[in-house]
Amino acid sequence: MTSQRITGISSMATRQVLAELAQAYRQRCGVEVVIESVGGVDAARRVQAGEAFDAVFLAADALDKLAAAGHVLPDSRVNLMRSGVAVAVREGAERPDISSEATLRNAVLQARSLSVSTGPSGVALLALFERWGLMETLRPRLVTPPPGVPVASLVASGEVELGFQQLSEMLNVPGIALLGGLPAGCEIVTVFAGAVATASTQPDAVRELLTFMAGPETADAKRRQGMEPA
């Protein structure tokens, strides 16, 4: 490995797991991996604007769009982890039943306020609400999290009653109670991947990093952060 430093940008959903994998890679190969984690929409916009990174970590479909626009190398995408959406209420609040599609729909309908992420899972949730025929009813109750603000923090503060976000972003957040993942028929799973940024001057080094991050030895770290290997 010729380089001693690889830079990257990621969405917030993968912040913890990528930090753990970056540390493991440094211990193994002596290469420093510095990954900035921001909102997924912001990350994609910064890459599109030409900001220089070696690696980009986003939902697989977002990386495909960046590849089509020439911002990441089209043959470099490596799927890393699968992440499901979880539901939370404020600690101490009543815990609605979300064990089936019918009870989840009822919980959503009963919530006085709710929030979903601005990333791909949020788009999928709004499509679910639309499928249920609830969008017009829910629109005034939906609280959009400001850039970089996790849904879990809005739940913890009491600003929203019911919050939906990647499980990885809900784990270990004080002040919330996790109700669990979405029930059968409503599951929303995002595949997060990494790719080599077109701007990188060390594409081979990034490919080696991605190979490591997709390897079997990283599975435990992914599961600790509420994800599954892709």
Side-chain angles (χ1 to χ4, degrees):
M1 178 91 57
T2 56
S3 170
Q4 294 301 301
R5 191 171 192 269
I6 292 172
T7 63
I9 190 166
S10 82
S11 60
M12 292 299 293
T14 54
R15 179 172 63 91
Q16 297 283 5
V17 68
L18 289 176
E20 189 168 341
L21 297 183
Q23 182 180 10
Y25 194 66
R26 181 174 188 172
Q27 290 172 345
R28 173 173 163 161
C29 301
V31 177
E32 184 181 11
V33 181
V34 179
I35 302 170
E36 183 181 354
S37 296
V38 298
V41 175
D42 287 340
R45 189 180 69 239
R46 286 171 60 180
V47 174
Q48 288 166 345
E51 201 167 331
F53 298 99
D54 292 308
V56 183
F57 302 92
L58 288 171
D61 58 347
L63 282 180
D64 289 346
K65 290 175 185 173
L66 290 175
H71 299 295
V72 301
L73 300 183
D75 65 340
S76 68
R77 194 191 94 194
V78 177
N79 291 344
L80 300 176
M81 42 243 161
R82 294 164 54 82
S83 177
V85 169
V87 191
V89 295
R90 192 178 190 184
E91 192 173 36
E94 185 179 343
R95 299 168 66 107
D97 180 7
I98 62 161
S99 60
S100 69
E101 181 168 353
T103 58
L104 175 63
R105 183 184 185 280
N106 186 59
V108 167
L109 193 55
Q110 295 303 316
R112 287 169 294 188
S113 57
L114 61 159
S115 185
V116 304
S117 81
T118 55
S121 63
V123 173
L125 278 159
L126 295 182
L128 177 64
F129 299 160
E130 192 76 60
R131 174 163 72 80
W132 286 343
L134 299 182
M135 228 13 248
E136 289 311 307
T137 302
L138 297 178
R139 204 180 303 277
R141 309 181 199 172
L142 280 167
V143 177
T144 301
V149 176
V151 170
S153 69
L154 300 180
V155 175
S157 71
E159 190 172 339
V160 300
E161 210 169 83
L162 200 62
F164 297 80
Q165 196 163 30
Q166 302 285 342
L167 173 60
S168 60
E169 294 185 77
M170 295 277 203
L171 288 177
N172 307 314
V173 174
I176 70 169
L178 272 173
L179 303 180
L182 300 182
C186 305
E187 303 101 325
I188 294 171
V189 176
T190 302
V191 175
F192 288 100
V196 181
T198 307
S200 178
T201 58
Q202 46 184 347
D204 290 344
V206 180
R207 288 179 193 273
E208 289 182 37
L209 169 66
L210 295 178
T211 297
F212 165 78
M213 286 184 164
E217 64 268 48
T218 64
D220 287 346
K222 294 168 184 175
R223 293 191 176 105
R224 271 197 300 276
Q225 302 298 341
M227 299 185 174
E228 287 294 322

